[in-house]
Amino acid sequence: QKEVEQDPGPLSVPEGAIVSLNCTYSNSAFQYFMWYRQYSRKGPELLMYTYSSGNKEDGRFTAQVDKSSKYISLFIRDSQPSDSATYLCAMSAVLSTGGTSYGKLTFGQGTILTVHP
Amino acid sequence: SQTIHQWPATLVQPVGSPLSLECTVEGTSNPNLYWYRQAAGRGLQLLFYSVGIGQISSEVPQNLSASRPQDRQFILSSKKLLLSDSGFYLCAWSADQGQPQHFGDGTRLSIL
């Protein structure tokens, strides 16, 4: 079983629709929960992050974390064609190796979203 | 504000040639730095991370190496490239362990 599971889609919606993207995870040591947006041939862009259960809103985007169910979601309201991209969930944990601590991100596989006019 | 720069954006190299990809971060001190590879249709694979100058750790054994000669400079190298080294290489930084990472725009490397 993968530590982070994300439905790869693809997901195609009409402009203005509400989009729901989801990830489940199995590692209780994860501390931060993130959503990245990646356009073609670009690096992932950090959209939102949170470290506690509950909702966090930023404009049209809402990130939701449920630690008891090990489930996170990203909602996009009033979706636009410019939202068409791959969305990656990611979770971080602090690991120690040979006396060095570092933050390790574990990514979902990414969901390809297309918003058509 | 903090920014991260990677170059070159695209690189085509013959098998057996050397490699040097550079990444620099501006607007922060003592960042944690990371190199990832993203293969088509697959997730991001962590290659190297660094918590300070000269401190490099590797996640997986491979044909590549990394160096951090300055606080905000991270270099990915190879002495002899293999076909399997093709991919999209991403540099990232974070303010501290476990905190969200911020990515550069990547280098698309093709080996012929």
Side-chain angles (χ1 to χ4, degrees):
Chain A
Q1 181 191 6
K2 291 182 183 176
E3 278 191 293
V4 178
E5 299 271 5
Q6 181 177 7
D7 186 343
L11 190 59
S12 181
V13 302
E15 183 175 354
I18 297 174
V19 176
S20 172
L21 304 168
N22 311 293
C23 289
T24 58
Y25 64 96
S26 57
N27 187 350
S28 299
F30 287 138
Q31 296 177 332
Y32 278 88
F33 303 88
M34 290 147 278
W35 285 96
Y36 289 86
R37 178 175 61 195
Q38 187 173 20
Y39 291 114
S40 179
R41 308 183 77 82
K42 291 287 188 181
E45 171 195 3
L46 180 64
L47 271 180
M48 299 185 71
Y49 70 93
T50 183
Y51 53 83
S52 58
S53 283
N55 293 353
K56 182 177 181 180
E57 192 172 316
D58 183 2
R60 296 185 295 111
F61 299 89
T62 299
Q64 189 176 80
V65 173
D66 182 345
K67 287 189 177 181
S68 61
S69 301
K70 295 189 173 65
Y71 188 88
I72 72 170
S73 299
L74 178 71
F75 298 97
I76 307 174
R77 291 182 298 281
D78 188 25
S79 56
Q80 303 294 309
S82 58
D83 294 329
S84 299
T86 298
Y87 289 79
L88 297 149
C89 65
M91 304 168 195
S92 71
V94 177
L95 302 181
S96 293
T97 306
T100 301
S101 296
Y102 71 104
K104 178 169 182 178
L105 283 191
T106 303
F107 286 86
Q109 285 294 95
T111 300
I112 300 170
L113 171 67
T114 302
V115 181
H116 49 87
Chain B
S1 65
Q2 302 88 0
T3 55
I4 179 169
H5 303 281
Q6 273 189 256
W7 65 92
T10 306
L11 190 59
V12 180
Q13 292 284 90
V15 170
S17 63
L19 173 74
S20 180
L21 302 181
E22 191 161 339
C23 170
T24 58
V25 180
E26 295 177 359
T28 187
S29 297
N30 197 31
N32 287 6
L33 297 172
Y34 309 85
W35 277 112
Y36 288 86
R37 177 167 53 208
Q38 187 177 34
R42 298 167 122 181
L44 281 80
Q45 179 188 34
L46 178 64
L47 302 175
F48 300 95
Y49 61 92
S50 171
V51 299
I53 296 175
Q55 299 180 61
I56 310 293
S57 298
S58 173
E59 269 282 297
V60 294
Q62 57 210 307
N63 184 42
L64 302 167
S65 62
S67 62
R68 185 170 177 174
Q70 298 181 45
D71 181 41
R72 291 169 290 174
Q73 184 185 28
F74 206 20
I75 297 172
L76 184 68
S77 304
S78 173
K79 291 182 180 177
K80 275 186 162 183
L81 286 167
L82 307 172
L83 282 173
S84 58
D85 291 324
S86 292
F88 190 43
Y89 289 85
L90 291 156
C91 180
W93 73 273
S94 67
D96 201 352
Q97 308 155 8
Q99 291 203 0
Q101 295 176 19
H102 305 268
F103 289 82
D105 272 340
T107 294
R108 192 159 300 278
L109 176 63
S110 299
I111 311 298
L112 304 179

